Amino acid sequence: MAFIKNSIKINLIVKSSIHIDFVWSTQKGFSSLYPLYKMALLRGWKTNIYKVKKISFLNYKLIKSLSKTIIIAYDQPLYRLRKSGWNGQHIYIEHGLGAIKYYTYKYNFFHESALLFYPGPVFKRKMHAINPNFKNGLLGGYPKLDNLINKKFDKLKIIKELKLNQNEPIVLFAPSWGGKYNKNSGIWNIECLNNIKNLIAIPHTQDYRYAKKLNATIPSKEDGINPYLQICDIIISDVSSVLAEACILNKPVIQLKLTNYPGCFPEKDRRKKNIYLKNELIKIEEKKADLNKRPFKIAYLDEDWIMGEVTVPEKIQETIKKALSEVNKFKKQRAYWAEQSCYKCDGKSSLRIAKMIEHYHLTGERMQIGSLN
C-alpha cells in the first residue's frame, strides 16, 4: 500500500512539473483545444489557455509567463507570438476532420512541430505524400469528439428550444466556411433548404456573422455542434469535417456538389508565405482537380472522400427522402471514413494525447499509444 501511495505521489510531482500552455486566436481553435486543456488540468499540468492578440505589443505581457512549449490548433497564434518575441516549440492538434482540404500540411509550421497529432490514418497518409521524411507525427484522434461520444444531450429540450417537431426527421445543415468570400459557399447555401422541415442550420465559426440574417443557430462555446449532431437524423454539408463526425455516429449524410469549395483545389490559396510544398506540386494538384468528375478528391491523395449521397442543391429535397429511406446504403463507407478520420474514436482522445505529450516532455521520445484500458 505504501508503495502504491509513493508511486501516485511521484507521478503527481512529475505531472505538475509539466508547464505547457494552450494558445488560440479563433473560436474554432479554442473549441479544438479546450477538451485537451481540461484533461491537462485534471492530470496536474501547470497550464493555461490564452487568446493571442493580433497586435504584437498586446502580447508582450503574455510571453513573459508563457511556457517554452505551446499547443496550437491554428498557426496564427504561433506567428503572432513569434512576432512578439516568443521563441519556443509548438505541438499541433488538428482543428477538424476534413482531410479533403489542401491546406492540411501545406505550410512550414506543420513540419516544424515538435509533435504533430494526426486525427486519423488518412491524415498520416497525406503527410507522407507531402513529406515522407517527417518523423514527429503520432496518431491521436480528435479531442473535440470526446464530448460527442461521452456526453448525452437532452434531445427533447433542444427540440423544444428550437421549436422542432419531434415526430419528424431532424435535418442538420452544417457547411464549411467561405461565406465571407463567396455567396455560393458556406452558410449561404441555406437558400436551397428553405422548404425543408425540421431544419437546424449551424454555420462555420467564420460565418457566425451571417447567422442572424439567415436564421441559423450559433451553438454554445463549450459543446459546439455536438448536441445537434447527436439529435439529428441526417446531416447535409459540403466539405466540412462534420461529415466525418456524422460517420462516427453512423448517421446518413448528404454531400452537396457545388461549383467551388473553400480550401480545396482548384481554388487558389490566398496565402503566399511560409509554404512548405513546392510550387510545381501545387500546380499539378490545381490542374488535376476536376470538381465535375471528382468533387471530393482528397488533396495530394488519389482517394475520394465520399460517405453518402452526392447531390446538387436543386435536388436536395428528393435526396433527403432517398437518404432517409435507405439509411444503410452507405453504411460501409461511413464505417471506413469514421475509422480513417479519427484514430480509435473511443472518447479518450484527450487522455491518449495527454499521455503522449507527457512521455515526450519527460523523455524526448515520441511514443505511439493505442488502446487505453
Side-chain angles (χ1 to χ4, degrees), residues 51-64 66 76-88:
K51 183 174 184 178
V52 181
K53 306 293 189 285
K54 192 173 183 179
I55 301 171
S56 296
F57 75 84
L58 295 176
N59 299 315
Y60 290 157
K61 186 178 179 180
L62 168 60
I63 62 175
K64 289 179 181 179
L66 194 64
Q76 285 307 310
L78 176 65
Y79 295 140
R80 291 176 185 178
L81 288 171
R82 285 176 176 173
K83 192 175 180 182
S84 300
W86 178 84
N87 185 24

Side-chain angles (χ1 to χ4, degrees), residues 284-317:
I284 290 170
E285 287 287 330
E286 288 174 350
K287 191 173 181 180
K288 283 195 305 184
D290 188 338
L291 296 185
N292 217 17
K293 293 180 180 178
R294 297 180 71 180
F296 302 105
K297 179 191 173 298
I298 298 173
Y300 319 117
L301 295 177
D302 189 21
E303 301 180 35
D304 295 280
W305 202 56
I306 295 177
M307 61 279 286
E309 297 285 353
V310 176
T311 190
V312 292
E314 294 76 20
K315 295 184 178 180
I316 192 65
Q317 282 193 322

Side-chain angles (χ1 to χ4, degrees), residues 16-247:
S16 65
S17 70
I18 297 175
H19 181 199
I20 301 177
D21 292 322
F22 297 74
V23 296
W24 61 283
S25 61
T26 65
Q27 179 58 49
K28 189 159 188 183
F30 175 86
S31 300
S32 299
L33 293 173
Y34 191 65
L36 183 58
Y37 166 67
K38 288 199 298 183
M39 178 58 68
L41 287 174
L42 282 173
R43 293 183 66 78
W45 296 15
K46 181 184 176 184
T47 185
N48 278 293
I49 186 164
Y50 296 111
K51 183 174 184 178
V52 181
K53 306 293 189 285
K54 192 173 183 179
I55 301 171
S56 296
F57 75 84
L58 295 176
N59 299 315
Y60 290 157
K61 186 178 179 180
L62 168 60
I63 62 175
K64 289 179 181 179
S65 60
L66 194 64
S67 57
K68 295 298 182 184
T69 300
I70 58 171
I71 300 176
I72 62 174
Y74 279 91
D75 57 340
Q76 285 307 310
L78 176 65
Y79 295 140
R80 291 176 185 178
L81 288 171
R82 285 176 176 173
K83 192 175 180 182
S84 300
W86 178 84
N87 185 24
Q89 66 175 0
H90 64 277
I91 295 169
Y92 180 73
I93 308 293
E94 190 58 61
H95 59 263
L97 301 181
I100 187 173
K101 296 174 181 177
Y102 61 58
Y103 45 70
T104 313
Y105 313 139
K106 181 180 179 181
Y107 310 113
N108 289 330
F109 84 96
F110 290 113
H111 307 269
E112 296 165 355
S113 301
L115 264 180
L116 179 146
F117 288 99
Y118 306 116
V122 65
F123 288 85
K124 188 174 181 178
R125 292 198 298 277
K126 277 190 78 170
M127 175 60 87
H128 185 77
I130 294 169
N131 180 2
N133 297 315
F134 186 71
K135 305 298 182 186
N136 296 354
L138 295 169
L139 288 162
Y142 188 35
K144 193 178 173 185
L145 287 188
D146 290 349
N147 178 279
L148 178 64
I149 295 165
N150 297 327
K151 185 174 180 179
K152 296 301 177 187
F153 297 98
D154 189 333
K155 183 174 181 177
L156 289 178
K157 182 181 178 183
I158 298 170
I159 286 174
K160 188 176 180 180
E161 286 174 353
L162 297 180
K163 298 178 181 178
L164 301 174
N165 184 344
Q166 66 180 30
N167 299 314
E168 295 285 340
I170 297 172
V171 179
L172 174 63
F173 176 53
S176 188
W177 56 278
K180 177 181 176 181
Y181 304 104
N182 192 324
K183 286 295 180 72
N184 293 318
S185 294
I187 194 64
W188 294 108
N189 283 295
I190 195 173
E191 293 178 4
C192 71
L193 301 167
N194 281 337
N195 297 319
I196 304 299
K197 296 178 180 178
N198 257 21
L199 176 70
I200 305 173
I202 308 287
H204 186 281
T205 55
Q206 287 191 23
D207 288 346
Y208 276 1
R209 70 191 78 182
Y210 310 119
K212 188 174 181 180
K213 182 177 181 179
L214 298 171
N215 198 29
T217 300
I218 295 180
S220 72
K221 193 173 182 179
E222 183 170 344
D223 292 324
I225 197 172
N226 289 346
Y228 309 103
L229 272 169
Q230 216 177 80
I231 72 161
C232 74
D233 296 287
I234 189 168
I235 294 92
I236 302 170
S237 192
D238 40 26
V239 290
S240 170
S241 65
V242 74
L243 291 166
E245 294 168 36
C247 289

